Amino acid sequence: MTTAQKSVAENPIILEVNDLRTYFFNRTSTVKAVDGISFNLRQGETLGIVGESGCGKTITALSLLRLVPKPAGRIIDGQILLNGEDLLQKTEDEMRQVRGRQISMILQDPQTSLNPVFTIGNQVREALGMARKDSSKGMRTRAVEALRKVNVAAPERRLEDYPHQMSGGMKQRVVGAIAMSCEPGLIIADEPTTDLDVTIQLQYLRLLKDIQQNTGLAIIFITHDFGVVARMCDRVAVMYAGRIVEHGTVRELFNNPSHPYTQALMASVPKLEERVDRLYSIEGQPPLLSNLPEGCRFEDRCPYAREQCISEYPPHFNVEADHTADCWKLDPTW
Amino acid sequence: MQRYIIRRVAQGLLAVVVISVVVFALARVSGDPTLVLLPDEASEEQIANTRAEWGLDKPLHVQYWVWVNRLARGDLGNSFKWAGTPASELIIERLPATLQLSLFALLISGLIALPIGVLVAVKKDSGWDYAGKIFAILGQSAPSFAIGLILMWIFAVQLDLLPTSGRGGLSHMILPGFTLGYYNVAAVMRLTRSSMLDVLDSEYVKLARIKGVPEWKVIWKHTFRNALIVPLTYFGLIGAVLLTGSVVTETVFAWPGLGQLVIEAIIARDFTVVQGVVLLFAFIYIGMNILVDILYAYVDPRIRYA
Amino acid sequence: MATSAVPKARPWHVVPGAAQLSGAYAWARRYPLLPGTVLMFLLIIPAIFANQIAPHDHRIGDLKAVKLPPAWVGPKIVERTVVERQGRVARQNEITLSAAKRRIERGQATFISGGADGQVDLGDKLDVVVRGGGTWKYVLGTDKQGRDVLSRIIHGSRISLTVSTLAIVLGGGLGTVLGLLAAYRGGFVDTIIMRIVDIKLAFPSILLALVLVAAWKPGFMTVVIVIAVLLWARYARVVRGEALSIKHKDFIDRARVAGASDLRIMFRHIFPNLINTLIVLATLEVGHVIILESTLSFLGAGIPRPTPAWGVMVADGRELITSAWWIFLFPTLAIVMTVLSMNLLGDWMRDKLDPKLRNV
């Protein structure tokens, strides 16, 4: 693991996100779903983005593909540098060349991610066809190949099936095959395993990991499950109310969670070795993204909150060389 | 698929039988035709003779049985009003006019309503969407004779672009066709819009965009075909809506079709003709429904296996 | 996920479902005062005070003021040349000598050229008034019998209101009783009632109405009964569904344990729970009923002449559409606006009282 990590840390940076802001403009309010986040990703690296539902994880992912729901949602500021090119400067046509070919995404719900009225073969071939035109026979072979890569049994026969004839795990593999069919450099996996059985989940995660090892794919793994993070990721970003509040290597973050929110999240994961009488849960609700406080966004749920937390949002404090957290507690003057 | 079709057709035939009984009963409800056929001062004897002549003195179920047997041979009976002309002849004479108008209206509903429904869904909350909404609301609130007369007044009287009434070339068909189709256009458009919006919001459309599928293909391949399912179910009703509508529209535009025929026949209590026309309408209605169900099964493979 | 990240802000006055609407329609649905007011003016007030409000007698026309246009429409003046055509009708833009003399005498024509000697000569050009202008006496004009269109519309609202009220009470009542019966008795009764409902709903309503009207003689009560016959099935279906969901609630069981009779349970315990639904359904149906009634009247199978039903007025106006548009247009607009207001009001009531009826 350490050797793998080292080699990853030397790989070139393929994605750099700077101060990304995606807001939703409603008639009565502005929802700051993603409010100034920055991170980067190296080739072959896996970044986990963790947070509660509604903290802006999925919107972050959709922003990277420039597929924020229109017309309410808009990326209003920031940079998304993919191999040095800013995606936010591209035209819609150029952006389409990026989607599927350079960045792809696996959606959360395999049950609804496949179009019910077309066969599996049709949908896989369509994804393949985006990269290059081919004869229909060649296309078929490549579709079979794509399905085989994600361990779909008897892929030749599966091509003529409709999605409703497949199991959930199988569908999620097909979605994976579609996402990887054009060999993109980066895949965003948005909670791809939440709707699957535990055993299927493990198989699926192992499959992703294998493919990554073979292809040098970078993965952004969106989840709320620290167990999955520990198994899959090299680095983690913890999101809360539209911002990344803590960011570091998996080892660092697990050993030394420094933001009170991360600490609370980790405490809420039940551990086998400890017998607990009550499951830990965080008091209160995250703030409305349409009505964010001036200061720290975790302030009203935080056991350590002070005056300063209410008035001013904390900067990134370095915990270690590769580990930052946004919390005044880390300020030496605290 | 074949078994599905057979099952649907069998269900349809059953419905036809039920409707034929209902139609027969309803037509008998619409009054004693001898009173219309004969002058007011006719004697009891004359009335009895006429009744015997037309077979009206037999019990109802016998009348029905005779009627069904003749129906099977394509004999609808003779008209009372149009002295002895077979009802089937009258119907066949008027049928082309109504079919022509209905098909034209259907074409308008399909060709205009579906694309506009897609347009207003894709351009949600724009001026297009807004205009479409007003159009749809008016369609729900205006009886078709009102739409017909207002169109006639604007385009035929004020602007003098189209003829006011009667049957003729394409120009004669535009106003009645649009009037007949209007209700459907509005309804199909509304259904297409809401159904498109639902599908556009779905995960598989998101996945198609993620794959880098061009927007026109996202809309017409991935969204439209799924969104079509809802308006298609509605198209099943269109048969009835068009036929019912033809009664009003044909009256407004003096279009010499079945709608006018049935009104004349009802007012004259000529129930052989009424039976014939209503039964034909019912046949077409049920046939349309079966056709739509089969089309529906083709578009959505999940139904075939259900 | 995407939606949960964006909490939907919903101010208190926004009714559910109106959120995705925009512009005037959303406004009208949020503030039903507008349709409500239009309705009051168009339907209810004129219907009650028809005799006090109507400026003229709606039955007897002024034969000297036939086909007068609305007040704001001026006279129609056409240039015509005087010609001598004995025993033949003058062509367009021509006028015979004798007619021209008559017109000049009555002051309905003025000279453009010629006429210096005060006499009409052949070849003179005249401005002839072919249709008089409107007067404020008859604001919306008069029909071919010289009857005031406005007064007839005002009296017509009475017909629309009474027909729809009676038909809905009758049809709704019948449907409610049958629906309750089907739900409460279940089994055979239920099957029979619901089959009839299915058959009824599968039948094109105008066609059924026409056959039924022809069976009796056209008239006010016939129209009311026929429309009631068209309406009951929908009530029966909705009431049955609602009643079934209520039937198994605890308080019904308790009533039964307490020894209440079937009839008492049906009307004292189940029925009150259906009132909201029934009110909404009734409001939603008014527009439908007005459309049905006016269509029947328009086809000559509804309210007979000379009663000023809106549909009859439109039918009368249809014949004169090329020369006197106001006779058909104003009653048509009255129908459309009333139905529109009623539909808006019905939508609003449904959202307020019974949102689950959305798909009915």
Side-chain angles (χ1 to χ4, degrees), chain A residues 99-100 115 122-123 126, chain B residues 207 209-211 221-222 226:
Chain A
R99 290 180 203 134
N115 196 327
N122 185 322
Q123 297 184 57
E126 184 183 53
Chain B
L207 184 70
R209 291 207 170 112
I210 288 167
K211 283 197 266 187
K221 180 182 171 184
H222 288 270
N226 279 288

Side-chain angles (χ1 to χ4, degrees), chain A residues 24-299:
Chain A
F24 286 80
F25 298 92
N26 293 338
R27 214 178 322 179
T28 46
S29 61
T30 301
V31 175
K32 299 179 178 176
V34 177
D35 194 22
I37 66 170
S38 308
F39 60 87
N40 56 45
L41 195 62
R42 291 170 190 279
Q43 196 187 355
E45 189 180 35
T46 306
L47 171 72
I49 297 183
V50 191
E52 290 166 285
S53 303
C55 70
K57 293 174 297 186
T58 299
I59 299 300
T60 306
L62 291 176
S63 301
L64 296 184
L65 284 158
R66 291 228 337 243
L67 284 174
V68 180
K70 272 183 278 192
R74 252 183 294 156
I75 299 173
I76 59 151
D77 200 9
Q79 270 185 322
I80 302 171
L81 299 173
L82 183 71
N83 298 322
E85 285 179 71
D86 191 353
L87 298 185
L88 297 182
Q89 306 301 325
K90 286 187 183 287
T91 65
E92 185 52 35
D93 270 347
E94 289 167 343
M95 204 49 219
R96 242 190 22 252
Q97 308 299 315
V98 172
R99 290 180 203 134
R101 265 159 271 195
Q102 296 184 50
I103 307 181
S104 197
M105 184 165 167
I106 298 169
L107 295 166
Q108 194 167 358
D109 182 6
Q111 303 300 337
T112 58
S113 297
L114 291 170
N115 196 327
V117 305
F118 297 108
T119 58
I120 300 303
N122 185 322
Q123 297 184 57
V124 176
R125 279 198 303 273
E126 184 183 53
L128 288 166
M130 289 302 128
R132 62 184 149 111
K133 293 275 164 264
D134 207 339
S135 69
S136 66
K137 206 175 164 200
M139 203 69 119
R140 194 188 149 85
T141 331
R142 290 204 294 131
V144 169
E145 198 48 47
L147 289 181
R148 186 166 291 134
K149 256 190 226 163
V150 292
N151 296 347
V152 170
E156 297 87 352
R157 275 185 284 138
R158 285 304 192 178
L159 285 182
E160 301 311 317
D161 280 0
Y162 285 95
H164 66 273
Q165 294 166 295
M166 299 185 125
S167 69
M170 193 68 88
K171 277 187 223 174
Q172 192 61 306
R173 282 155 195 271
V174 173
V175 172
I178 288 173
M180 281 174 270
S181 59
C182 299
E183 292 161 6
L186 167 65
I187 280 196
I188 304 164
D190 184 5
E191 310 206 29
T193 57
T194 19
D195 289 344
L196 300 179
D197 293 341
V198 182
T199 47
I200 314 269
Q201 258 188 38
L202 282 177
Q203 281 178 19
Y204 194 78
L205 293 179
R206 200 167 298 141
L207 177 72
L208 271 181
K209 206 76 202 158
D210 286 349
I211 291 172
Q212 182 175 39
Q213 234 131 47
N214 295 336
T215 58
L217 185 71
I219 300 178
I220 294 179
F221 209 97
I222 294 175
T223 181
H224 54 255
D225 183 347
F226 269 110
V228 173
V229 170
R231 183 169 287 119
M232 292 294 293
C233 302
D234 304 308
R235 278 189 298 136
V236 202
V238 178
M239 264 188 97
Y240 187 77
R243 288 205 173 154
I244 292 177
V245 293
E246 186 163 4
H247 187 180
T249 61
V250 169
R251 176 164 299 232
E252 257 295 313
L253 208 106
F254 271 74
N255 289 340
N256 184 19
S258 303
H259 195 283
Y261 177 64
T262 317
Q263 291 165 357
L265 268 187
M266 287 194 174
S268 65
V269 178
K271 292 179 187 66
L272 267 183
E273 55 268 33
E274 290 169 31
R275 243 196 66 124
V276 279
D277 294 330
R278 248 179 78 227
L279 279 177
Y280 184 91
S281 68
I282 310 172
E283 291 285 319
Q285 292 287 320
L288 281 181
L289 293 173
S290 53
N291 188 19
L292 289 166
E294 188 99 330
C296 174
R297 288 161 191 195
F298 191 60
E299 170 269 321

Side-chain angles (χ1 to χ4, degrees), chain C residues 34-53:
Chain C
L34 176 77
T37 320
V38 172
L39 207 70
M40 282 294 279
F41 276 107
L42 224 60
L43 201 59
I44 298 170
I45 292 179
I48 296 172
F49 300 106
N51 293 327
Q52 286 75 27
I53 292 177

Side-chain angles (χ1 to χ4, degrees), chain B residues 29 137 149 153 244 252 266 269 285, chain C residues 202 204 214-215 314 318 325 340:
Chain B
V29 163
I137 294 162
L149 285 172
W153 181 56
T244 310
V252 172
I266 284 171
R269 298 186 183 173
Y285 175 59
Chain C
V314 177
R318 187 218 171 274
W325 50 268
L340 186 64

Side-chain angles (χ1 to χ4, degrees), chain C residues 205-360:
Chain C
S205 42
I206 282 287
L207 222 52
L208 182 60
L210 285 173
V211 174
L212 291 176
V213 169
W216 296 295
K217 114 174 168 286
F220 182 82
M221 273 326 281
T222 311
V223 172
V224 168
I225 292 169
V226 164
I227 293 177
V229 169
L230 295 183
L231 289 186
W232 70 273
R234 183 185 276 199
Y235 279 85
R237 181 173 276 185
V238 173
V239 166
R240 175 180 172 271
E242 286 279 284
L244 277 181
S245 67
I246 296 170
K247 194 180 158 188
H248 297 292
K249 295 218 167 120
D250 285 351
F251 65 92
I252 303 294
D253 288 339
R254 248 178 283 141
R256 195 171 295 131
V257 170
S261 68
D262 283 3
L263 215 62
R264 193 182 160 81
I265 289 179
M266 258 159 63
F267 288 97
R268 286 296 303 235
H269 296 276
I270 297 182
F271 181 71
N273 286 291
L274 300 174
I275 286 177
N276 270 3
T277 307
L278 289 175
I279 290 174
V280 173
L281 212 52
T283 325
L284 285 171
E285 289 283 83
V286 176
H288 185 205
V289 173
I290 292 177
I291 287 182
L292 274 175
E293 180 266 311
S294 58
T295 303
L296 284 177
S297 299
F298 174 78
L299 292 174
I303 311 286
R305 291 179 176 80
T307 313
W310 289 344
V312 172
M313 297 175 67
V314 177
D316 288 344
R318 187 218 171 274
E319 299 158 22
L320 298 168
I321 193 167
T322 46
S323 57
W325 50 268
W326 53 92
I327 304 177
F328 95 91
L329 187 65
F330 293 119
T332 304
L333 290 180
I335 296 168
V336 174
M337 278 166 71
T338 309
V339 176
L340 186 64
S341 322
M342 218 53 228
N343 286 349
L344 288 168
L345 204 66
D347 278 359
W348 175 79
M349 298 242 300
R350 174 183 56 197
D351 290 339
K352 282 273 155 175
L353 295 177
D354 204 349
K356 64 180 173 301
L357 276 176
R358 284 211 139 254
N359 297 318
V360 175

